[in-house]
Amino acid sequence: MAMNFEQARQNMVENQVRPWDVLDTRVLDALAQVRREDFVAPQHRQLAFADLCLPIGHGQVMMKPVIEGRVLQALELQPTDRVLEIGTGSGFLTACMAKLSAHVTSVDVHGDFTATAQSRLAAAGIANATLVTADAVQEWQPQETFDAIVVTGAVWQVPPRFLGWLKPGGRLLAIRGESPVQQAVLLTQAGAGGFREEYLFETDLPYLAHAEPPRRFVF
């Protein structure tokens, strides 16, 4: 029996995301408009709207819909915002942020992620996203600053270089800490080199490449 994707999408928004205190209508509309099933591997299409992380390769996952909703809401993206996404992954969050902002630059260290995401974004009619294959943790340097930055894989600590890529008053959302108890934090530039921290929720995601905790040696 064929799955009713439109009904599954509506159920995801109304029965998963909204009850997790995601009430921003623009965010809910974006999640309802972007075809999530087109951003997962073919073998996972039937699970596209399930309340679980889906593997996408290289040890990485696609976040649960509820996490994506909370992330999008916390960023408070405006139609004039220029956004940086560190970790393209499936491209689904890229597409949602492109719906909510002026432009998204998305960087991923894995070339197959950016290539596949580029095809998916083109098929979805998303034209205001630029994808880059590079190591943002250690090497890549943007040519501009951003209103908002989202780090879609976990980091043990937020690399200071990321914070330098924010415009005055800009905000950065990252999943920070040590697995299995990591925290989603929103860092907002508060002037004079300071940042205001807001703790949003707990989760557990795979680390970005080169952003893992240091190894501990036991004698």
Side-chain angles (χ1 to χ4, degrees), residues 20-21 23 26 55 80 101 108 138 144 148 159 194 198-199 205 213:
W20 221 43
D21 293 328
L23 305 176
R26 292 180 66 237
T80 55
S101 66
D108 203 293
Q138 293 185 330
E144 61 176 310
E198 179 183 355
Y199 296 92
L205 291 176

Side-chain angles (χ1 to χ4, degrees), residues 27 123 140 163:
V27 168
W140 181 75
L163 299 173

Side-chain angles (χ1 to χ4, degrees), residues 27-50:
V27 168
L28 295 173
D29 287 347
L31 290 170
Q33 290 168 11
V34 179
R35 292 169 55 89
R36 199 172 196 270
E37 67 273 21
D38 293 343
F39 286 82
V40 302
Q43 66 268 28
H44 293 143
R45 278 177 69 85
Q46 300 294 319
L47 297 173
F49 305 99

Side-chain angles (χ1 to χ4, degrees), residues 46-110:
Q46 300 294 319
L47 297 173
F49 305 99
D51 183 29
L52 48 80
C53 293
L54 294 177
I56 58 175
H58 300 291
Q60 298 298 315
V61 299
M62 186 179 189
M63 291 185 283
K64 295 180 182 181
V66 293
I67 300 292
E68 292 166 334
R70 286 291 294 273
V71 166
L72 291 168
Q73 178 168 270
L75 285 169
E76 296 184 352
L77 297 178
Q78 302 302 308
T80 55
D81 281 350
R82 297 187 68 82
V83 183
L84 173 63
E85 178 185 36
I86 299 172
T88 308
S90 71
F92 177 73
L93 200 66
T94 320
C96 291
M97 292 192 296
K99 292 274 188 184
L100 296 167
S101 66
H103 187 270
V104 179
T105 299
S106 186
V107 185
D108 203 293
V109 72
H110 301 295

Side-chain angles (χ1 to χ4, degrees), residues 6-212:
E6 293 308 318
Q7 184 63 53
R9 191 181 344 278
Q10 181 178 343
N11 291 341
M12 176 194 76
V13 172
E14 296 300 325
N15 301 331
Q16 291 182 49
V17 180
R18 189 190 292 272
W20 221 43
D21 293 328
V22 179
L23 305 176
D24 186 319
T25 55
R26 292 180 66 237
V27 168
L28 295 173
D29 287 347
L31 290 170
Q33 290 168 11
V34 179
R35 292 169 55 89
R36 199 172 196 270
E37 67 273 21
D38 293 343
F39 286 82
V40 302
Q43 66 268 28
H44 293 143
R45 278 177 69 85
Q46 300 294 319
L47 297 173
F49 305 99
D51 183 29
L52 48 80
C53 293
L54 294 177
I56 58 175
H58 300 291
Q60 298 298 315
V61 299
M62 186 179 189
M63 291 185 283
K64 295 180 182 181
V66 293
I67 300 292
E68 292 166 334
R70 286 291 294 273
V71 166
L72 291 168
Q73 178 168 270
L75 285 169
E76 296 184 352
L77 297 178
Q78 302 302 308
T80 55
D81 281 350
R82 297 187 68 82
V83 183
L84 173 63
E85 178 185 36
I86 299 172
T88 308
S90 71
F92 177 73
L93 200 66
T94 320
C96 291
M97 292 192 296
K99 292 274 188 184
L100 296 167
S101 66
H103 187 270
V104 179
T105 299
S106 186
V107 185
D108 203 293
V109 72
H110 301 295
D112 53 336
F113 281 179
T114 49
T116 301
Q118 187 70 68
S119 297
R120 291 168 174 170
L121 292 168
I126 302 293
N128 60 327
T130 301
L131 272 54
V132 180
T133 301
D135 179 1
V137 176
Q138 293 185 330
E139 299 170 356
W140 181 75
Q141 187 68 33
Q143 300 303 306
E144 61 176 310
T145 53
F146 300 90
D147 299 287
I149 298 175
V150 59
V151 186
T152 62
V155 295
W156 182 60
Q157 294 180 333
V158 176
R161 65 201 313 263
F162 290 1
L163 299 173
W165 300 342
L166 284 171
K167 291 181 180 178
R171 58 260 181 227
L172 180 148
L173 191 149
I175 310 299
R176 184 182 69 187
E178 195 152 351
S179 179
V181 183
Q182 302 160 344
Q183 288 188 317
V185 294
L186 184 69
L187 306 177
T188 304
Q189 198 176 76
F195 286 85
R196 184 174 69 252
E197 288 197 13
E198 179 183 355
Y199 296 92
L200 303 174
F201 55 88
E202 289 187 353
T203 188
D204 187 27
L205 291 176
Y207 289 99
L208 288 179
H210 309 130
E212 308 89 346

